[in-house]
Each structure stands twice: as C-alpha cells, then as structure tokens.
Amino acid sequence: MTGPLRAGFIGGGFMAAVHTRASRAARGHPAALASSTPERGAQAARDLGVERSEPDAHSLATAGDLDVVHVCSPNRLHTEHTLAALAAGAHVICEKPLATTAADAEHLVRAAREADRVAAVPFVYRYHPMARQARALVADGQLGTVLTLDAAYLQDWLLDPDDTNWRADPEAGGASRAFADIGSHLCDLVEFVSGQRIHRLTARIRTVFGRRADTEVTNEDTAALLVELGNGALGTLLVSQLAPGRKNSLTLELHGTRQSARFEQERPEELWIGRREGSQLLLRDPATAAPDSARMSVLPPGHALGYQDAFTAFVTDVYSAVQGGHPEGMPTFADGLRAARLTEAVLASAAQHGAWIETAPETSPETSPVTEDRT
C-alpha cells in the first residue's frame, strides 16, 4: 500500500475532532465523514477539514474507497458500524467501549480476525512516553515485585444534576457509564504497565442522580474497586465523573519491593520514583529513556507532549500496522474485549453487593467471568 491512507470518520463530535487531527498528523488523508444527520455530517466535514461528507454511517462504511474507518459514534452503534466497515474491507479504529456487551465485543474480535483487518481501540494513555517508561521499569525489575497499586480516574463534567450527555442514557451509552467510559482506560493502563492481569475484583457503584434533564439514568456516576493481580498484588481503583475540579485526572501508582512509580496523565512529562531513602522526579528525556518510551518522544525535552500527541502516536501505530508494521503495545479489539469483560465483572460484583468476581485471564472469546462469593 503506497501513499497516504484514506480515512473515514463516523461521528462529528469531540472525539471525531481528536481522531481527524491525529489522522492528519499521522500522515493520513481525512477523506470522508458521516454524522447523525446529513446536515450535521456536512457541517462537521467543513469544520474538521475532511474532504467530503456522506449522508449516513452505512454509506461511509461501505464507500469502498477508504482504507481505514474511525468509529466515533455513540456506544450502542459501535457493533453495527464496525461490522459494516469490516465487511466493506476497511481496517477499523473503534472508540471505546468497543461494544456495550462482552458478547458483542467477542463478535467484533471474530469478525476482524475473519476479515484479516487491523482492528484497534484507542487506549491512548499507553502512548504517553512516561507511562511507557514506567512499564519498562516494571519489566526490567527495577521496582522489584509489585505488591500494591493505587489508581484513579476522576472527572467533574457530570457533577450537577442538570449536566447531561447521551452517555447517561443507557439505551445509547450502555449499562455502564463511568466505568465503561473511563474505568476501562484505567484498567487497561494498570494491566499494560504492571504486566499483570486483574485476576479478581470486588466493586461497588453508585448512581448519584437518577434523572438528568428528561432522561432517566441507571448507569453509574462512580465506581470503587478492590482488585487482585495475577501475582497477588492488591490494588484500589476509584472512578468518578463527579469529582469537583478534576478534569481528566488519571493516576497510577505502583509499589514494588524496591521502588514505587507514579504516573499522572495531567502531568505527562513526569514520572515520580519513590524510594525509602530519597525519591526522584524523572522528567521525559528520550536520550536516557527506555527504547519504547523514546519512540513516543517525538519532541525534545522541555517541549511538552500531551493528550493529542498520545492520540497521534496511537493512530500512527495503527496506520503503520495497516501498512505491514508490527508496533509494540498497540491496543487491539482483543483489548477492547478485555475491557468489556471487566466492565461486566464490575456490574456483576456490584449487583451482588461486592461479591468477588474472577475475571477471565485471557482475551479468548471462549472464556467469561465466573462468580466467586467470598463473603
């Protein structure tokens, strides 16, 4: 395949804007866009500098001249839109959650495999260089054995009862909101950096506002988890979309037998290294970083990299894979399926008043969570 990849985008909102910017920066060609109506699609295409608009998602997915389709539509439509794009021969980047049920996510994993297409999910926090640096420290044994972890993903954009969004409607967003939307990112980063699967979990969730505007709300505003990793490490995870002052505060702190490491997404140029005798603030520097971290450092030290840069690095990896490359650590539909299974495990635990749920350690569609009541 030669020349820029021709990219299509289903959706015209915030995430479509992020995807189109990343596509252009990754040397793709934003060729087509469709939104919820032909008029909105045409306006979004003009606003985002996309070559043309299509009247609807089906027309875009089956256009035939697109190499890759970015699915940025509401969650309930991910399965339909992704299957259409795969059937038309396109590679697919599908926003998370990959699907609103693990069964649908399994279907998409199989469909992508049968179509022999690159299929990726933007768990983009993997693409911060200092998150990769933390992963390298764990893998190299510099932290020692990971004993505990403390992680959180906090936002405040749904703090007030009048705040609303289609994600708050379970018909559009799915049975889980806060965990499926941002908790999935948190769990992906926990497993990616630690190199360990979440082996079992216990969870409590809370829906603070049962109604937002004219919509009855049943999916959760907050979630709190206790997790056990495959090596026995214990961790706490807190997820909230009602944390005043927190805009996009994803943090991960790992405590090993030798050192600790803390990554904060809102301070992406730094990695805190904790020691019993003296701690260190490690700043991003590709000259001294681990190779996989240095690969993400496309600017020299002192030239800050942030969220959009991480997203661009992700899309660059996907486009490389489409063209035959094998980028390290690219999140695929299998990782999207893993997130869907963890989401269902959280909901199952909460429904059983915090019962321990064992999570499937692998991403094979043949496995599923099993309840273990330890009370």
Side-chain angles (χ1 to χ4, degrees):
M1 187 178 295
T2 60
L5 298 180
R6 292 180 60 81
F9 305 86
I10 300 177
F14 167 71
M15 289 315 304
V18 173
H19 279 253
T20 54
R21 287 193 295 266
S23 176
R24 194 173 287 109
R27 300 180 180 176
H29 176 71
L33 183 146
S35 190
S36 55
T37 67
E39 295 76 19
R40 289 181 180 177
Q43 184 62 54
R46 287 192 294 269
D47 291 344
L48 300 177
V50 179
E51 182 180 285
R52 73 174 192 269
S53 64
E54 291 284 349
D56 54 42
H58 181 76
S59 297
L60 184 141
T62 59
D65 68 332
L66 301 175
D67 299 304
V68 58
V69 171
H70 296 239
V71 177
C72 313
S73 49
N75 302 347
R76 67 180 176 84
L77 298 173
H78 286 180
T79 299
E80 173 190 338
H81 293 163
T82 297
L83 289 175
L86 290 171
H91 305 274
V92 178
I93 295 173
C94 180
E95 263 300 331
K96 46 93 242 13
L98 177 60
T100 56
T101 68
D104 281 348
E106 290 170 6
H107 187 188
L108 294 179
V109 169
R110 293 192 186 97
R113 182 171 60 240
E114 291 167 3
D116 194 25
R117 299 289 86 183
V118 173
V121 177
F123 287 125
V124 297
Y125 299 115
R126 297 182 177 198
Y127 282 84
H128 283 297
M130 300 313 282
R132 295 271 174 147
Q133 186 68 24
R135 182 184 187 228
L137 293 177
V138 174
D140 290 346
Q142 294 189 45
L143 266 63
T145 301
V146 175
L147 302 175
T148 59
L149 66 96
D150 179 30
Y153 199 157
L154 307 175
Q155 299 176 332
D156 71 357
W157 66 290
L158 289 172
L159 177 62
D160 296 328
D162 292 335
D163 295 329
T164 191
N165 180 269
W166 60 261
R167 292 173 178 83
D169 179 358
E171 291 298 319
S176 172
R177 175 172 25 96
F179 188 84
D181 185 24
I182 59 177
S184 57
H185 273 301
L186 190 61
C187 289
D188 180 77
L189 197 65
V190 166
E191 295 192 336
F192 184 72
V193 172
S194 72
Q196 296 285 330
R197 291 291 201 186
I198 294 172
H199 180 63
R200 57 172 61 89
L201 62 83
T202 174
R204 299 300 296 265
I205 63 176
R206 184 183 179 194
T207 303
V208 178
F209 301 117
R211 196 165 197 85
R212 292 180 179 272
D214 296 325
T215 302
E216 182 180 358
V217 177
T218 57
N219 48 29
E220 78 284 352
D221 294 307
T222 65
L225 285 68
L226 176 64
V227 301
E228 182 179 337
L229 305 188
N231 70 343
L234 295 177
T236 57
L237 279 66
L238 180 63
V239 175
S240 176
Q241 294 176 324
L242 281 71
R246 294 300 186 184
K247 305 305 178 184
N248 201 42
S249 179
L250 183 155
T251 60
L252 171 61
E253 184 167 309
L254 301 172
H255 314 119
T257 52
R258 297 177 183 172
Q259 297 184 136
S260 298
R262 179 180 179 86
F263 171 74
E264 300 183 32
Q265 195 277 150
E266 291 185 336
R267 303 173 67 93
E269 294 282 285
E270 306 171 356
L271 185 67
W272 177 80
I273 305 297
R275 304 184 184 94
R276 186 170 182 178
E277 297 179 354
S279 298
Q280 175 187 10
L281 193 62
L282 187 65
L283 301 180
R284 181 181 64 84
D285 187 346
T288 57
D292 199 35
S293 174
R295 182 172 76 89
M296 303 299 158
S297 292
V298 295
L299 294 176
H303 299 73
L305 296 172
Y307 171 79
Q308 185 68 57
D309 299 291
F311 215 105
T312 294
F314 159 72
V315 173
T316 300
D317 266 8
V318 177
Y319 286 8
S320 171
V322 169
Q323 294 173 317
H326 301 281
E328 168 66 21
M330 187 187 81
T332 68
F333 275 17
D335 298 296
L337 171 57
R338 174 66 178 168
R341 286 182 170 149
L342 287 173
T343 299
E344 292 194 349
V346 166
L347 295 180
S349 176
Q352 299 174 57
H353 307 289
W356 282 90
I357 302 290
E358 291 192 359
T359 64
E362 303 299 332
T363 55
S364 166
E366 286 71 36
T367 58
S368 59
V370 178
T371 301
E372 178 188 357
D373 190 346
R374 292 185 150 205
T375 58

